Amino acid sequence: MTIYINDKPCEAQVGDLLLNTAKNNKAHIGYICGGNAICQSCFVYVLEGADCLSQPGEDEKAFISDKLFAEGGRLACRTTIIKEGTVRVLTRAEKFRRTVLGLNVPGFITYAQTIGYNVTTMLPSGVSSIVSRVQSGRLNPVDSLGKIAAGLGPASLLAMNNFVETFPFMQMPLDLAGNAAKGALNAASGVLCTVSGGRFHLPGSTCPSHGPQETIERVPIKSK
């Protein structure tokens, strides 16, 4: 079947999570927490086809207010396609982008008020849900941290792409800032190498004195 995420057609099957459908089709749904339902980065508005999706569970209810549920709000990491039909969803980031591009001031004010209300109202229940799941063993903190780390890269790239698409005139300043940051890291690594007399390189940098870092050979050590 085909569902639409931000008007982009995406191939999906019954039983798929909305978040996984987005990832498989390179559609724009964030997932900073890695799909653990401990944030709202994968929040979407269901514009059509709510009956084709699973009912909200307790994990979602802990983070989404009744007001946002009434507007079709769901967490993509907890929403499963249960039957075929026409499904259209809009991500929070895309709704914000369209509001800004359309110079919709009243819409922006309403959007900000709704999100602010949801954050302040649902924060206690959200925290309580996380603690409860950890205590019951349904949420593994170590596993969650790993998923968060894995999701930060794609989430950052998504945010940057959306920002550049919304404000294309910022592409050159961003490129210049990135090059300046890289140069600063390289210079700092060179200083540290000189002071330490070794090869102390900062993450993401290439020391101009030594060139690319050498590959470290890993040798397994077994204990008897």
Side-chain angles (χ1 to χ4, degrees):
M1 62 180 290
T2 301
I3 70 172
Y4 296 87
I5 300 175
N6 297 337
D7 296 329
K8 175 183 178 179
C10 301
E11 291 301 316
Q13 295 181 351
V14 173
D16 289 350
L17 281 171
L18 281 182
L19 178 59
N20 291 341
T21 298
K23 291 165 65 175
N24 293 338
N25 290 271
K26 295 182 173 56
H28 290 184
I29 291 183
Y31 51 101
I32 290 176
C33 76
N36 283 299
I38 58 177
C39 72
Q40 295 186 29
S41 60
C42 69
F43 183 92
V44 298
Y45 295 90
V46 179
L47 306 180
E48 184 178 356
D51 59 315
C52 298
L53 304 174
S54 59
Q55 291 297 310
E58 293 303 316
D59 293 349
E60 284 186 88
K61 292 178 180 178
F63 282 93
I64 302 178
S65 66
D66 291 339
K67 186 175 183 179
L68 276 182
F69 272 129
E71 294 182 13
R74 298 296 303 271
L75 294 183
C77 72
R78 286 295 184 271
T79 306
T80 303
I81 302 171
I82 59 174
K83 69 176 184 180
E84 294 196 5
T86 302
V87 178
R88 296 181 182 274
V89 301
L90 189 68
T91 64
R92 175 178 286 172
E94 180 63 14
K95 181 172 183 176
F96 176 76
R97 190 178 77 90
R98 294 182 182 185
T99 300
V100 172
L101 287 179
L103 300 178
N104 185 353
V105 176
F108 176 81
I109 294 174
T110 300
Y111 173 88
Q113 289 175 335
T114 301
I115 299 304
Y117 172 83
N118 187 80
V119 171
T120 55
T121 304
M122 305 306 296
L123 181 60
S125 63
V127 173
S128 176
S129 171
I130 294 172
V131 173
S132 175
R133 281 186 284 155
V134 170
Q135 292 176 338
S136 65
R138 293 192 298 122
L139 184 64
N140 185 321
V142 176
D143 179 62
S144 298
L145 287 174
K147 289 182 177 179
I148 290 172
L152 284 176
S156 300
L157 182 60
L158 171 61
M160 181 62 69
N161 288 340
N162 281 343
F163 183 82
V164 172
E165 287 177 6
T166 305
F167 307 105
F169 58 86
M170 290 296 294
Q171 178 66 62
M172 184 175 293
L174 287 172
D175 289 341
L176 291 174
N179 291 334
K182 182 178 180 181
L185 281 174
N186 289 343
S189 282
V191 172
L192 289 170
C193 284
T194 302
V195 173
S196 65
R199 295 181 174 230
F200 194 98
H201 299 145
L202 293 172
S205 64
T206 301
C207 174
S209 301
H210 297 116
Q213 298 181 41
E214 297 177 355
T215 302
I216 299 176
E217 181 180 355
R218 300 185 181 277
V219 180
I221 300 176
K222 297 182 179 178
S223 60
K224 295 183 179 180

